[in-house]
Amino acid sequence: MSTREPPLASPWIRRYAPAPEAPVRLVCLPHAGGSATFYSGLARRLAPDIDVLAVQYPGRLERRADPPMKDLAALAEALVTELTPWTGRTFALFGHSLGAMVAFETARRLEAMGRPPVALFVSGRGAPSRHRREFGPRLDDATLLQQMRRLGGTDPRVFADEDLMRLALPVMRADYQMVEDYHYVPGPPLGCPVTALNGLTDPKVSSPGVDAWRNHTTASFDSLTFPGGHFYLVDRHEEVTTALTERLSRLTESLRP
């Protein structure tokens, strides 16, 4: 594999702690309403051993003029195009919540085109084969706000700032609609290991949903549970960093000649 850096910058990719000599890249995909900055701390903790590429979806921060996407399959297709130049080096995918579903669909497509990830890390989400609609036909503002408060992860000051809420709600609505409308299409399981990471008291994740991830790979599957809720990884960042580092280190060692 070529280890050259892609020649052009992409609006989709943020590198908060570039590690061009790292043996492996970790592509990180945010949750609903989240942005690439959610992974800035993780990028700095993993460098220089792991080169983190944090994905910036359309519709947020410096991409706020770009319409948010509402179709998960289309998002995965777009990401394949954006990420292909970065797959000349061993890489893995990490996604939290919505990001876990996007990571899975992206991994399927990259593997089908002969550029498989070395691992898939899925956080805060049950297996796609067990996906069910949560909210019904219409996502109104009250439902979105209730969900945001229930899951945590949003600074309480945001709810009191009308301007911030006006910016946040359309993106949240598009992201949740993308999850609601997702339809799992059965296909060949992945050939890479899958690791599920979850918070012990996460209201969105069930044990059967987590266990079902093992059906989506022909390689190994393991599950890690941490104290906390849906955004456990904010408070448990040291343990999450250790888990990712250990697993990626073992995988890269096994790939060396």
Side-chain angles (χ1 to χ4, degrees):
M1 279 191 176
S2 169
T3 59
R4 290 182 300 172
E5 295 287 287
L8 299 175
S10 165
W12 291 79
I13 305 297
R14 296 289 174 272
R15 292 172 88 193
Y16 296 105
E21 302 304 318
V24 62
R25 289 185 169 122
L26 182 64
V27 179
C28 294
L29 298 118
H31 53 281
S35 68
T37 57
F38 185 73
Y39 294 112
S40 60
L42 180 66
R44 295 182 179 100
R45 290 190 296 271
L46 291 176
D49 301 315
I50 298 168
D51 186 27
V52 172
L53 309 181
V55 170
Q56 190 74 296
Y57 302 142
R60 50 219 83 195
L61 299 181
E62 70 279 359
R63 299 197 68 190
R64 60 185 175 275
D66 299 333
M69 299 188 72
K70 299 180 181 179
D71 181 87
L72 199 146
L75 176 54
E77 293 285 353
L79 278 171
V80 167
T81 300
E82 297 296 330
L83 292 174
T84 295
W86 295 91
T87 59
R89 180 172 295 162
T90 300
F91 73 99
L93 298 170
F94 178 99
H96 178 64
S97 198
L98 162 66
M101 299 170 71
V102 178
F104 169 72
E105 291 293 344
T106 303
R108 294 174 99 182
R109 288 161 171 77
L110 286 169
E111 187 166 286
M113 64 185 289
R115 293 178 177 268
V118 70
L120 173 64
F121 298 95
V122 288
S123 169
R125 177 64 59 173
S129 53
R130 296 183 63 91
H131 177 70
R132 299 290 185 274
R133 292 181 67 95
E134 294 181 46
F135 300 111
R138 187 169 180 269
L139 274 169
D140 56 28
D141 288 355
T143 301
L144 287 171
L145 290 170
Q146 182 184 43
Q147 181 76 345
M148 290 167 71
R149 289 190 172 98
R150 176 173 174 245
L151 296 179
T154 301
D155 189 325
R157 291 172 294 183
V158 172
F159 296 111
D161 190 315
E162 189 175 324
D163 291 335
L164 286 177
M165 291 308 303
R166 189 162 43 245
L167 291 172
L169 281 174
V171 172
M172 289 292 298
R173 186 178 294 106
D175 286 356
Y176 272 103
Q177 197 64 58
M178 182 159 45
V179 175
E180 284 289 280
D181 294 343
Y182 172 73
H183 176 66
Y184 169 69
V185 178
L190 297 171
C192 66
V194 173
T195 298
L197 305 89
N198 292 285
L200 183 62
T201 57
D202 188 343
K204 292 184 72 68
V205 178
S206 68
S207 294
V210 173
D211 291 342
W213 275 109
R214 71 176 69 249
N215 301 322
H216 292 286
T217 179
T218 58
S220 62
F221 168 78
D222 67 329
S223 176
L224 303 174
T225 304
F226 303 87
H230 191 62
F231 285 97
Y232 71 91
L233 64 175
V234 174
D235 294 326
R236 298 289 166 175
H237 56 82
E238 290 186 9
E239 294 99 316
V240 172
T241 300
T242 298
L244 294 173
T245 300
E246 289 178 347
R247 282 159 177 75
L248 288 174
S249 177
R250 288 199 299 266
L251 285 167
T252 51
E253 283 290 335
S254 69
L255 293 172
R256 289 181 181 177

